[in-house]
């Protein structure tokens, strides 16, 4: 009697769960991701792909299907400097570090996609899987794009997914054109003069000047159509000017202020840190101009020295309209539900850099938990990852 040995059919749902939990336990930061890289390589080296290592810990896995064009799928690898509050069996084993933004899930979906691709003899395109470090910091996506790897493999389109707590579990969502804004960090320094609090007039109060500067900035910004309000309607005297189109939305937010030495001393120095966001370079530059013009006016009024800097930041995530509508029928045909968003989000993502090199579409995948990203108790049921995996499978042949 002859025994015929067959290769067991992969259980992709179990693979997704296994990969996600294994990666969740070893979160690492920025570009320094040795354990994460080691885990990914241990799976990829069993597949028929060529690996290229970029951006310190980054991995690009190329599956050659003998075609001229290549489709890319991107997953971000890095975690956050957050102490996990969950008590599950797959908790972070690295103190003060946690996958609190779903990157473990992102990697699990792309890695499992690689395992699926390895079972296929034919596809209408080659495949490049991008595992990218340094999304939560700066530079990962930009460096990979500038490496020339997308040109080397003739990447003609690229896709990505981000988990989103405020969609129902397993639901997919996206929209054509603007999805996420350009963002950048801003830093403002105000130099005053110290004095004793009983004779404040002998100094120049940098703390007071800073609060007046914030008030002036917020008041002027609130008059611009599309400025995202700082308070609910009816609270504060700041005006609200709704946008005529969603892409007019802009944000100026000062989130941190450091000032002073003691309660009875006039502050001689204040440092403000904040963020700005806009869906176009034109509107972004308007925000920077507003901030610097108001700072110059404030410096003149209070006769003080000031400094202003802003980071380069991420470009806006703009989903390629032609590619989006090309893949939409396949997306809608999936068993999981799909929602076409009417409004762009106000979070930012460095997936935006890929769209400057090839047509790109970014999707959201609901966790259904309403636990915000970056929370110490962020978690999700791995069953939702099957929706993302099925989306990626469908996009292989679109």
């Amino acid at each position: 009697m002859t025994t015929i040995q067959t290769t067991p059919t992969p259980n992709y749902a179990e693979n997704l769960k296994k990969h996600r939990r294994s990666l969740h336990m070893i979160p690492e930061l920025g570009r320094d991701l040795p354990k994460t890289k080691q885990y990914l390589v241990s799976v990829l080296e069993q597949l028929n792909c060529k690996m290229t290592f970029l951006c310190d810990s980054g991995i690009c896995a190329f599956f050659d299907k003998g075609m001229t064009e290549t489709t890319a799928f991107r997953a971000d690898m890095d975690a956050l400097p957050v102490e996990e509050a969950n008590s599950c069996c797959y908790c972070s084993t690295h103190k003060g570090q946690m996958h609190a933004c779903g990157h473990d899930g992102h990697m699990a979906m792309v890695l499992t996609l690689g395992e699926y691709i390895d079972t296929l003899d034919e596809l209408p395109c080659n495949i490049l899987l991008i595992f990218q470090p340094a999304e939560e910091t700066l530079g990962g996506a930009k460096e990979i794009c500038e490496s020339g790897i997308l040109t080397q493999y003739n990447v003609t389109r690229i896709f990505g997914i981000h988990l989103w707590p405020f969609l129902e579990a397993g639901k997919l969502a996206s929209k054509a054109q603007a999805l996420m804004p350009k963002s950048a960090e801003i830093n403002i320094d105000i130099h005053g003069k110290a004095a004793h609090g009983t004779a404040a007039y002998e100094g120049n109060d940098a703390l007071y000047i800073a609060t007046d500067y914030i008030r002036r900035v917020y008041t002027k910004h609130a008059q611009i159509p599309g400025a995202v309000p700082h308070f609910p309607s009816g609270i504060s005297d700041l005006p609200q000017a709704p946008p005529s189109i969603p892409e007019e939305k802009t944000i100026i937010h000062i989130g941190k202020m450091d000032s002073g030495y003691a309660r009875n001393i006039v502050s001689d120095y204040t440092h403000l840190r904040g963020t700005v966001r806009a869906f176009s370079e034109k509107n972004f530059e308007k925000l920077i101009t507003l901030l610097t013009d108001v700072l110059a006016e404030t410096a003149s009024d209070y006769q003080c020295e000031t400094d202003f800097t802003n980071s380069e930041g991420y470009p806006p995530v703009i989903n390629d309209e032609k590619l989006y509508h090309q893949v939409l029928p396949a997306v809608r045909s999936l068993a999981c539900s799909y929602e076409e968003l009417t409004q762009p989000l106000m979070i930012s993502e460095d997936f935006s850099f890929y769209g400057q090199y090839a047509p790109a579409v970014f999707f959201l995948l609901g966790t259904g938990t309403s636990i915000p990203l970056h929370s110490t108790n962020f978690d999700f049921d791995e069953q939702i990852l099957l929706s993302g995996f099925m989306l990626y499978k469908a996009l292989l042949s679109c």
Side-chain angles (χ1 to χ4, degrees):
M1 180 176 178
T2 303
T3 300
I4 300 176
Q5 293 185 342
T6 60
T7 303
T9 302
N11 186 331
Y12 292 114
E14 281 302 311
N15 287 12
L16 288 163
K17 180 178 178 178
K18 177 184 70 175
H19 294 324
R20 183 264 165 152
R21 293 193 174 192
S22 297
L23 290 161
H24 187 86
M25 294 174 70
I26 52 170
E28 296 166 303
L29 306 180
R31 297 164 175 264
D32 187 20
L33 315 171
K35 290 185 180 179
T36 305
K37 179 180 178 180
Q38 181 181 31
Y39 182 86
L40 296 172
V41 169
S42 73
V43 177
L44 293 169
E45 65 186 3
Q46 301 177 53
L47 311 180
N48 185 25
C49 64
K50 177 183 177 182
M51 284 185 278
T52 303
F53 301 105
L54 298 168
C55 194
D56 296 327
S57 298
I59 308 166
C60 291
F62 179 67
F63 293 79
D64 189 350
K65 298 299 179 180
M67 299 298 168
T68 57
E69 296 185 351
T70 298
T71 295
F73 297 86
R74 173 271 203 163
D76 32 15
M77 302 165 67
D78 55 329
L80 288 157
V82 170
E83 183 70 26
E84 183 159 14
N86 296 317
S87 57
C88 51
C89 62
Y90 51 88
C91 273
S92 168
T93 59
H94 294 171
K95 185 173 178 58
Q97 300 177 23
M98 177 192 175
H99 273 297
C101 200
H103 295 189
D104 49 349
H106 303 168
M107 288 185 283
M109 288 185 286
V110 174
L111 191 59
T112 304
L113 179 67
E115 293 174 311
Y116 171 72
I117 292 167
D118 199 53
T119 68
L120 305 177
D121 293 328
E122 295 183 0
L123 275 174
C125 56
N126 307 315
I127 303 297
L128 183 68
L129 305 183
I130 301 172
F131 296 92
Q132 175 218 306
E135 190 279 326
E136 295 291 356
T137 53
L138 285 173
K142 184 178 182 182
E143 183 172 330
I144 285 178
C145 290
E146 291 178 347
S147 73
I149 193 92
L150 303 182
T151 301
Q152 177 185 341
Y153 288 123
N154 192 28
V155 172
T156 56
R157 56 188 196 157
I158 185 165
F159 300 104
I161 292 174
H162 202 298
L163 299 191
W164 191 238
F166 308 108
L167 280 173
E168 67 184 69
K171 174 180 274 191
L172 294 162
S174 192
K175 66 184 291 291
Q177 299 183 325
L179 182 67
M180 298 176 180
K182 176 182 175 66
S183 71
E185 297 172 345
I186 54 173
N187 296 282
I188 299 112
D189 296 299
I190 296 173
H191 304 274
K193 180 183 177 183
H196 197 276
T198 58
Y201 52 84
E202 294 180 352
N204 198 6
D205 193 342
L207 193 155
Y208 180 89
I209 298 168
T211 58
D212 191 34
Y213 171 71
I214 294 171
R215 172 74 183 186
R216 295 183 190 200
V217 165
Y218 282 5
T219 300
K220 287 198 172 186
H221 180 230
Q223 298 170 24
I224 300 174
V228 174
H230 282 274
F231 299 95
S233 180
I235 298 178
S236 93
D237 59 353
L238 290 174
Q240 294 188 10
S244 57
I245 57 173
E247 290 76 11
E248 277 186 342
K249 288 184 177 180
T250 58
I251 286 176
I252 296 178
H253 177 69
I254 307 297
K256 186 169 176 58
M257 178 169 69
D258 298 303
S259 187
Y261 305 103
R263 69 182 69 212
N264 61 344
I265 301 296
V266 172
S267 172
D268 66 350
Y269 172 73
T270 299
H271 180 60
L272 302 175
R273 283 176 277 189
T275 183
V276 294
R277 304 192 179 201
F279 287 98
S280 70
E281 290 291 343
K282 179 181 178 181
N283 285 344
F284 178 82
E285 290 303 323
K286 283 183 179 179
L287 299 185
I288 298 299
T289 298
L290 185 157
L291 286 158
T292 53
D293 284 354
V294 173
L295 189 60
E297 294 168 4
T298 305
S300 176
D301 289 346
Y302 288 98
Q303 300 180 28
C304 63
E305 297 294 324
T306 61
D307 299 297
F308 178 90
T309 61
N310 64 273
S311 66
E312 179 184 353
Y314 298 156
V317 176
I318 306 295
N319 281 340
D320 184 85
E321 187 167 18
K322 181 178 178 181
L323 180 59
Y324 174 81
H325 288 295
Q326 177 185 330
V327 304
L328 190 57
V331 176
R332 291 192 181 281
S333 71
L334 297 172
C336 57
S337 59
Y338 177 75
E339 178 181 335
E340 188 163 70
L341 301 174
T342 58
Q343 299 282 333
L345 306 180
M346 294 309 292
I347 64 169
S348 61
E349 235 281 357
D350 76 351
F351 182 83
S352 54
F353 284 104
Y354 296 102
Q356 297 182 339
Y357 286 79
V361 176
F362 202 47
F363 294 90
L364 303 175
L365 171 58
T367 69
T369 64
S370 297
I371 303 171
L373 302 176
H374 295 206
S375 298
T376 59
N377 63 333
F378 183 81
D379 201 4
F380 57 89
D381 184 344
E382 290 91 355
Q383 189 66 28
I384 67 164
L385 301 178
L386 201 54
S387 294
F389 172 66
M390 297 304 292
L391 169 64
Y392 280 160
K393 281 181 62 178
L395 295 174
L396 292 173
S397 303
C398 285

